[in-house]
Amino acid sequence: MSVFLALTLIAVVLGLVGVVVHGALYLLFIGIAVFVAGLVYLGFAASRGRPAR
């Protein structure tokens, strides 16, 4: 879960920088790609489940 949160935080920061800084729109798209990668990671982690004790 911490990996997903870190990826989401990075995506938000890149997205904000991409929107605010003139000429750095590519950072917004990189932020979107990082967010999608985080969602994919979360999906794989959730489908794997937790081992029974």
Side-chain angles (χ1 to χ4, degrees):
M1 184 62 117
S2 62
V3 174
F4 172 72
L5 293 175
L7 287 175
T8 303
L9 181 64
I10 291 169
V12 168
V13 169
L14 285 174
L16 288 175
V17 171
V19 169
V20 172
V21 176
H22 181 69
L25 189 61
Y26 66 93
L27 288 176
L28 175 64
F29 297 120
I30 292 172
I32 292 170
V34 169
F35 182 70
V36 170
L39 288 177
V40 169
Y41 174 79
L42 185 65
F44 281 131
S47 69
R48 192 177 67 180
R50 297 180 187 247
R53 290 186 171 197

